[in-house]
Amino acid sequence: MTRSNLLAEGLTHGEIRGDVNAGRLTRLSPGVYAREVVPDRTEHHLAQARCERGILGLESAALLHGLPVDTVPDLIQVIEPGRYGTRQRRAKLLTGSPIGEDAVVSLQDVRCTSLVWTLVELARHRPVASAMIPWEAAFNTAYREGSLDQLRADLEEITAGLARHRAVERLRFVLSDASHLSESPMETRSRLLIRELGFPAPVQQYEVWSSEGKLLGRTDFAWPDRGVVGEYDGTGKYTHLAPEGEDGTSVLFREKYRQQDLEIAGWTCGRWGKVEVFRTPKLKVVLERMFALASKRPLPVIHPAPKNRRPPEWALSGPEPW
């Protein structure tokens, strides 16, 4: 709520300050408050954004659309149609954009750029690595919902119309390079780093089957011609992302037996975590060791998926990716 809302309720300016100091009110931004603690950075940003009367864009719009972002910004991101340049005003960052009214939607009673235009503006105004995280999340969701072709077509149409605008080459690159198979921000980061380090492009979400038609594992990344599989091993799968009814220990043992099955089948397995992703030389060492070890072993026999195979894990029960 705004300061005006609180004053209309009968509070004075002094009482508002007193409630903030006592913890009965949380000050989200100048003149904007909440009557509950908002500890999560994303929720804090969204609480601020819901009080904005302008058009939310960039990361603020992405979060409102339910997309992950590289970094939750300190300032509310507001798009100004028909203007140029960027300027800061109090707790907002105002960015000029060529959008029209057809690019604006209402979510949770807040105006923001549409999903397609949000992706376009992120690609135009942010580095490739930052833009790719919400892009690949949107592509993965559209892929699972069967609307990926339509999303690509909409993005291509807007991109064609922005031929003379700034950063359109970066936009074209992101559009051509974004993967619909990445299932987390760290998989997106890993995919980009693997290429940056000069390693061959991996196959994503690769399924390894036994000769009996048993699915031994669905891996984040694979190089079938080298007999190598690799995975980002985040702590989330052992904690808050563990399937309902399972604890971290159960998930850990299931992962260990899964890797054992892959290795018995002749695959060289490698894992990396957050430290390796944010310290690129460490990831390079992991990948080099994987390929070096695999080069000394015979290639595994690759068995095709059975004709009566089950749908992918995300099409069954359990939490969705991203």
Side-chain angles (χ1 to χ4, degrees), residues 6 27 83 203 266 276 288 304 319:
L6 295 172
R27 183 175 180 272
R83 293 181 65 98
V203 179
E276 286 78 13
E288 286 176 340

Side-chain angles (χ1 to χ4, degrees), residues 252-271:
L252 176 61
F253 273 95
R254 180 154 44 80
E255 286 288 299
K256 286 173 68 70
Y257 287 127
R258 173 173 166 272
Q259 180 167 334
Q260 178 178 273
D261 287 344
L262 291 170
E263 290 175 341
I264 290 174
W267 293 84
T268 298
C269 303
R271 294 176 179 271

Side-chain angles (χ1 to χ4, degrees), residues 107-185:
L107 293 178
Q108 303 175 38
D109 296 324
V110 180
R111 290 200 303 162
C112 67
T113 50
S114 67
L115 173 65
V116 175
W117 269 101
T118 298
L119 296 176
V120 167
E121 292 296 85
L122 284 167
R124 291 178 62 236
H125 293 281
R126 298 294 181 257
V128 168
S130 297
M132 201 66 81
I133 289 173
W135 270 72
E136 294 200 341
F139 274 29
N140 182 263
T141 299
Y143 171 60
R144 289 184 285 109
E145 294 176 350
S147 58
L148 180 60
D149 289 343
Q150 184 60 57
L151 177 58
R152 284 189 183 276
D154 292 342
L155 288 164
E156 288 170 357
E157 181 180 355
I158 292 176
T159 301
L162 293 175
R164 297 184 179 181
H165 285 267
R166 66 181 292 272
V168 72
E169 288 302 320
R170 183 163 63 238
L171 170 59
R172 290 192 183 109
F173 175 78
V174 174
L175 175 58
S176 66
D177 188 63
S179 168
H180 63 276
L181 294 174
S182 297
E183 295 186 346
S184 73

Side-chain angles (χ1 to χ4, degrees), residues 18 73 77 88 97 107 127 132 170 230 239 270 273 276 284-285 294 297 304:
Q77 307 293 302
Q88 183 176 335
S97 171
L107 293 178
M132 201 66 81
R170 183 163 63 238
T239 55
E276 286 78 13
K284 183 179 181 181
V285 170
R297 299 174 174 175

Side-chain angles (χ1 to χ4, degrees), residues 210-231:
S210 70
S211 58
E212 295 81 20
K214 176 187 175 183
L215 179 62
L216 300 180
R218 178 168 171 265
T219 64
D220 296 340
F221 305 99
W223 292 265
D225 59 333
R226 307 284 187 93
V228 174
V229 294
E231 296 200 317

Side-chain angles (χ1 to χ4, degrees), residues 49-92:
R50 291 188 187 103
C51 297
E52 174 56 44
R53 296 181 180 178
I55 302 170
L56 297 183
L58 300 166
E59 287 87 357
S60 295
L63 292 172
L64 204 60
H65 281 286
L67 298 175
V69 297
D70 185 17
T71 303
V72 178
D74 294 324
L75 301 176
I76 301 302
Q77 307 293 302
V78 178
I79 292 292
E80 293 189 300
R83 293 181 65 98
Y84 293 93
T86 300
R87 58 197 177 93
Q88 183 176 335
R89 189 171 68 192
R90 299 187 72 183
K92 298 186 289 188

